[in-house]
Amino acid sequence: MYYFLKNHFHDPPDLNDYVLALVRKLRDDLAARGLDCLVLNAYADFERLATAPQGGLYLMGVNTRNVLGTHHKNAADMQLCIDAMEVLYTRPDIGTFVLVAGDRDYIPLLQHLRRQARQVLVAGFREATSGDLLQNLGPQHFLDARELLPPATLAFLEARRRARPAPEATAPTPTPVAPAAGSPDAPEAEATPAFDPVRPLTGPDEQSCLAFMVAELLRLSQHRPVNELWLTPFLRRLTDEFPALPEYERRDLINALRTAGALRIEKREGEQHPFSVIVLNPEHPDVRALAAPAAA
């Protein structure tokens, strides 16, 4: 919650107060459900925080667990899982676990706790919660952190976020994906597969996914020309780009782009196993529109 508030709402003033208010309201809401909070832990590399609400958390009965980290990753996830396992096997009286986290890395922990007949709830901001995690959890077990904030506070934070729009991203020019008909480089033995009939893209996720594909092609073309994306590695990168979507919805995005004529999926024969690649349609109007800013 701390880092989502800090990054999403542009480091608002009194950040620690918002964090403490969220924890306090979460504890009250759980009490209203008949759940008494017996073990409360907060995880962070507190030495890296300019200010930290450790004192306020202590007064609410929250044990602050300092974990060492790097600029890329800290050990909070691992320490949380270790502590959860310790509670699971040493405190049979505790039947509900509440994770204030949204990473898909917690899916194995969630599944294990539920196999041991424990109820698991997840609290967090929807934008920062993995769609795959939610699919495993079920929406009825998700506690939206926005509903824990007073309406006036949420309105202030949203106004702050809107007042500082994100910089516009310049879409790169896509690399041509297939030789033109009649080109000497075009294969003669096999005709180029056709794209589906072209239609404009309507959803913002489709547009974002297409822009991400174009950006990936440019990134991969820095050292040598690349005109196609391997499907499986791209789907993994799409997990980071669209963490709020479950896996099947990310695949649906690819299918939506294919049926819109923006791309096609082709099979390739590898040395050991066949694989699939994504080929963009340079004649699709949305592909051309994405390329226009970079070409200008």
Side-chain angles (χ1 to χ4, degrees), residues 48-286:
R48 291 183 177 272
L49 302 180
T51 61
Q54 290 168 285
L57 290 171
Y58 171 79
L59 293 175
M60 285 192 289
V62 180
N63 178 36
T64 54
R65 304 278 281 166
N66 189 65
V67 290
L68 299 179
T70 68
H71 291 293
H72 304 288
K73 186 70 173 175
N74 62 41
D77 296 353
M78 182 176 295
Q79 187 63 58
L80 186 154
C81 292
I82 292 172
D83 289 349
M85 291 297 98
E86 180 180 357
V87 171
L88 173 65
Y89 293 115
T90 62
R91 296 291 302 272
D93 56 312
I94 293 180
T96 300
F97 289 74
V98 181
L99 303 179
V100 186
D103 295 350
R104 69 199 302 264
D105 297 348
Y106 292 112
I107 290 176
L109 173 63
L110 182 154
Q111 292 176 337
H112 183 76
L113 292 173
R114 296 178 76 172
R115 282 195 296 268
Q116 302 302 315
R118 299 304 196 271
Q119 177 181 222
V120 181
L121 304 175
V122 169
F125 289 92
R126 180 62 185 86
E127 301 95 319
T129 303
S130 162
D132 293 330
L133 181 69
L134 281 180
Q135 187 180 17
N136 270 268
L137 179 74
Q140 69 275 20
H141 299 298
F142 177 68
L143 307 176
D144 192 341
R146 288 180 178 275
E147 298 178 4
L148 302 176
L149 287 169
T153 299
L154 184 59
F156 167 77
L157 292 173
E158 287 293 352
R160 179 182 178 85
R161 181 179 63 84
R162 290 192 297 269
R164 191 185 302 180
E168 294 184 2
T170 301
T173 304
T175 306
V177 297
S183 167
D185 296 329
E188 298 180 359
E190 184 177 348
T192 302
F195 293 98
D196 282 7
V198 170
R199 67 163 176 81
L201 304 182
T202 56
D205 285 345
E206 294 177 4
Q207 289 276 3
S208 298
C209 184
L210 183 61
F212 184 55
M213 286 181 182
V214 171
E216 281 295 283
L217 279 174
L218 184 67
R219 182 182 67 84
L220 295 172
S221 298
Q222 290 178 350
H223 303 293
R224 62 181 180 84
V226 174
N227 56 19
E228 60 190 30
L229 296 170
W230 287 22
L231 178 60
T232 299
F234 178 76
L235 284 172
R236 295 195 192 103
R237 291 188 60 80
L238 207 60
T239 300
D240 298 328
E241 188 71 11
F242 293 92
L245 297 181
E247 191 270 344
Y248 75 91
E249 289 188 11
R250 293 191 291 269
R251 288 185 175 273
D252 285 346
L253 278 179
I254 303 295
N255 289 329
L257 293 175
R258 179 180 57 79
T259 58
L263 61 84
R264 64 173 180 259
I265 306 296
E266 295 184 9
K267 295 288 187 180
R268 297 282 188 271
E269 291 297 329
E271 293 184 2
Q272 296 182 343
H273 305 285
F275 59 95
S276 298
V277 299
I278 299 170
V279 179
L280 290 182
N281 180 3
E283 301 303 319
H284 191 281
D286 287 283

